[in-house]
Amino acid sequence: MANTFHSQASSSLIRSTISNEGFCIICTEAKIDTVFYECGHMATCYVCSMNLKEKNHNCPVCRAPIKDFIRAYKTNLN
């Protein structure tokens, strides 16, 4: 069952995400700053998250419905 949701497209998405770590997997330009509710994935910027929700798209990582999203702020505590 672990491989149920894996496809060639999702594998390439994961590989490209790793090389662009920290950047939105949709626009690839803005920093990741939102968390999807309920799945909890953090993969997109605020603008792309708004567009996905507005168009009733699912999470681009796991395809779960996006009920809402929360803007997140990373702190640099050294």
Side-chain angles (χ1 to χ4, degrees), residues 22 30-35 42-47 49 70-73:
K31 293 281 189 175
I32 294 171
D33 65 357
T34 57
V35 178
M42 190 169 182
T44 62
C45 67
Y46 183 75
V47 172
S49 296
I70 303 166
R71 197 159 195 182
Y73 301 92

Side-chain angles (χ1 to χ4, degrees), residues 63-76:
R63 304 291 181 225
I66 299 171
K67 293 189 177 185
D68 206 352
F69 57 90
I70 303 166
R71 197 159 195 182
Y73 301 92
K74 192 172 185 176
T75 60
N76 291 328

Side-chain angles (χ1 to χ4, degrees), residues 2 17 22-23 27 29 36 49:
T17 302
F23 288 93
C27 71
E29 295 176 359
F36 293 123
S49 296

Side-chain angles (χ1 to χ4, degrees), residues 1-44:
M1 184 162 186
N3 291 328
T4 304
F5 296 106
H6 292 293
S7 68
Q8 190 173 20
S10 67
S11 294
S12 68
L13 175 66
I14 291 168
R15 279 192 298 275
S16 68
T17 302
I18 291 169
S19 64
N20 294 328
E21 191 173 330
F23 288 93
C24 175
I25 64 171
I26 305 296
C27 71
T28 67
E29 295 176 359
K31 293 281 189 175
I32 294 171
D33 65 357
T34 57
V35 178
F36 293 123
Y37 175 75
E38 291 183 8
C39 69
H41 283 113
M42 190 169 182
T44 62

Side-chain angles (χ1 to χ4, degrees), residues 40-58:
H41 283 113
M42 190 169 182
T44 62
C45 67
Y46 183 75
V47 172
C48 289
S49 296
M50 284 193 311
N51 288 333
L52 288 170
K53 175 125 172 61
E54 182 178 286
K55 295 175 183 174
N56 293 316
H57 287 289
N58 294 333

